[in-house]
Amino acid sequence: HLISNNGAPSGRKHFLFYNPPMVNRSLNIRKSATLEVRKLASEFLKNGIQTIVFARSRVRVEIILTYLQEVMKPIVGPNSIQGYRGGYLPNERRVIEKGLRSGDIKGVVSTNALELGVDIGQLQTCIMTGYPGTISSAWQQAGRAGRRHNEALIVMVASSAPLDQYIVQNPDYFFKQNPETAVINPDNLVILVDHIKCAAFELPFKRTDTFGGAEIEDILDYLAEERVLHLTGNTYHWMNDAFPAHGISLRSASQENVVIIDQSKREKAKVIGEMDRFSAMTLLHDEAIYLHQGIQYQVEKLDWEEKKAFVREVQVDYYTDANLAVLLRVLEVDKEKKTETAAFGFGDVTVQAKATIFKKIKFETHENIGSGPIHLPEEELHTNAAWVQVNDDERQNWNDIKLEEALLGTANVLGHVAALKVMCDPSDLHVFPQIKAVHNEKPTIFLYDRYPGGVGLSQKVYEQMPEIISEAHRLISRCPCESGCPSCIGVGGSSDQTKNNALRLLKGWKG
Ligand SMILES: [Zn+2]
């Protein structure tokens, strides 16, 4: 049931869309959004203006936090600027929320963990490091500033990513649209079981009850076996001592976390946070630098079986960034559509991901100063995907290198445009180009739901594929760069024809 009325009192909001200055015009590369946010946020904080900074990833949060704590240390205490994100422990979070309400904490850097439901009182300024990905998310973040009757300033600092550049150049898209459609797949077993748990907590189920039309006796029996429910006579009662809604993320269907244990003090190891398994592969591997409240820890050992990461405090001038190798297999083709020039598909897929190597990246200059291997088993995700492939006739006109570069460039844009069209967060929808896909042996670009079982995003992508392709073509052809840039196909093509080749590919698909 859709609840679309916003009853919260709210003062006037000023929106500022800030596009960092160009540093290389022909490559269309702009100044780093992170460094521009540091500059803007320090200015507000120095003037005693309580400010919340949002960033899209946990690592980004910690990097900005480190920068701001450094700038502010001489002026106010180091504790007046705090980080806030998933993975901090509940006690730690409550202290930060209280500090924000009382005004003891002047600045907070957060992921979208602070978007929903947490009371932190009213802040004066909100800065977003890059477009948060969806309109609803942007409004949620903007809502953190200027609650009740005070005026507030919201600044969105655009990165070079295609979606950010699209928003900053088409602000009407943001102001005139309704916030996005909510996408949920009620038949996803993971989601269904969680909903049944919550429902059973409220009222007992009878043996013959259905749930949203679905027959659920098997699930109720399973939960009884797991000692979550207790069956007496014909009725399943809740018997677990936990509150089920706490275990459910509104954003993600994945579970099972890795616990992070600080053993800096030999006599007293301490749990400092937790992280989901998929993220842990690239953020908590051996030798990774894990940032927590601006403090650097090095991972000494990641015990994958026991789901424990042992870390120790260090002081280094770099952070780490890991590569993930992905293998995608189509299990079943559910829908297919062929035009004269293109073929689209939708179906069940498995995605196998394996962390391969990590790089050490220096703060400030962001240069690569070393690398190492990661030894972790593969993780598997069973989900849905939509795809578009290159036909045999067209394939003959390309050599492998050119085609691969055009596919990579096109995929970069398709992922962003698809997220825009189906109105989801870009990180919920992964894009994966393959020069020779396993199931059809053709060059193919896949877009898949990042959640086990799928939540319905790629199905919408499949339905809107022709518009997505047209919009991607428009975005690349209108980009002011000469031969590719981070705001369209990315950089890295070996020839200056890659941009034209990507356009040619898309034109072929458009028919
Ligand atoms: Zn460009």
Side-chain angles (χ1 to χ4, degrees), residues 38 43 56 87 91 134 136 144 153 191 200 209 242 252 277 281 296 309 337 364 376 409 463 475 483 488 495 498 505:
R38 168 171 72 172
E43 215 44 57
R56 287 184 52 92
N91 288 344
T134 64
S136 58
R144 283 309 185 182
L153 174 66
I191 294 172
D209 282 346
S252 140
R277 279 171 79 93
M281 285 199 291
Q296 297 174 313
K337 206 158 38 190
E364 304 279 345
L376 281 177
E463 286 155 11
L475 192 149
S483 51
C488 62
S495 87
T498 308
L505 207 59

Side-chain angles (χ1 to χ4, degrees), residues 42-61:
S42 324
E43 215 44 57
F44 292 126
L45 290 167
K46 279 181 200 157
N47 284 286
I49 296 169
Q50 217 185 8
T51 300
I52 182 165
V53 176
F54 283 102
R56 287 184 52 92
S57 71
R58 304 169 220 231
V59 175
R60 194 59 47 196
V61 162

Side-chain angles (χ1 to χ4, degrees), residues 26-28 475-476 478-490 499:
S26 67
L27 290 177
N28 195 24
L475 192 149
I476 298 175
R478 282 189 189 166
C479 189
C481 67
E482 281 161 26
S483 51
C485 75
S487 301
C488 62
I489 59 166
K499 187 173 172 178

Side-chain angles (χ1 to χ4, degrees), residues 143-324:
R144 283 309 185 182
R147 298 194 142 186
R148 297 180 201 117
H149 306 296
N150 293 337
E151 291 194 20
L153 174 66
I154 291 103
V155 188
M156 194 201 94
V157 179
S159 76
S160 292
L163 199 51
D164 285 37
Q165 288 300 314
Y166 183 89
I167 296 290
V168 89
Q169 280 157 36
N170 304 277
D172 276 358
Y173 172 85
F174 178 75
F175 289 110
K176 291 207 173 135
Q177 297 259 358
N178 277 323
E180 22 274 283
T181 43
V183 180
I184 188 163
N185 174 5
D187 298 328
N188 178 316
L189 202 57
V190 180
I191 294 172
L192 182 62
V193 169
D194 279 344
H195 272 93
I196 288 171
K197 280 190 202 168
C198 291
F201 180 82
E202 302 288 336
L203 275 178
F205 275 99
K206 290 261 184 294
R207 192 171 265 286
T208 51
D209 282 346
T210 56
F211 188 76
E215 303 214 352
I216 54 166
E217 205 178 316
D218 287 351
I219 295 175
L220 292 172
D221 282 339
Y222 162 78
L223 289 174
E225 258 168 47
E226 294 286 306
R227 303 178 62 80
V228 174
L229 302 180
H230 180 68
L231 179 65
T232 44
N234 245 340
T235 313
Y236 296 87
H237 296 272
W238 182 259
M239 65 171 283
N240 204 295
D241 52 11
F243 176 51
H246 277 163
I248 299 166
S249 162
L250 280 174
R251 304 185 169 277
S252 140
S254 60
Q255 293 157 338
E256 284 207 329
N257 285 339
V258 172
V259 175
I260 303 159
I261 300 159
D262 174 19
Q263 42 187 15
S264 304
K265 296 192 184 73
R266 191 160 286 284
E267 67 283 5
K268 219 170 99 190
K270 191 174 135 203
V271 173
I272 55 169
E274 55 178 358
M275 190 183 291
D276 68 275
R277 279 171 79 93
F278 231 79
S279 309
M281 285 199 291
T282 51
L283 295 176
L284 287 176
H285 56 82
D286 292 359
E287 284 187 70
I289 297 299
Y290 170 71
L291 293 158
H292 190 96
Q293 283 293 4
I295 298 168
Q296 297 174 313
Y297 297 88
Q298 183 165 45
V299 179
E300 299 200 317
K301 186 175 168 46
L302 172 59
D303 187 335
W304 197 242
E305 292 301 310
E306 293 289 319
K307 297 193 221 82
K308 285 177 187 156
F310 297 95
V311 303
R312 187 179 300 276
E313 217 179 302
V314 289
Q315 277 193 334
V316 291
D317 62 351
Y318 65 89
Y319 60 97
T320 50
D321 184 25
N323 282 2
L324 200 64

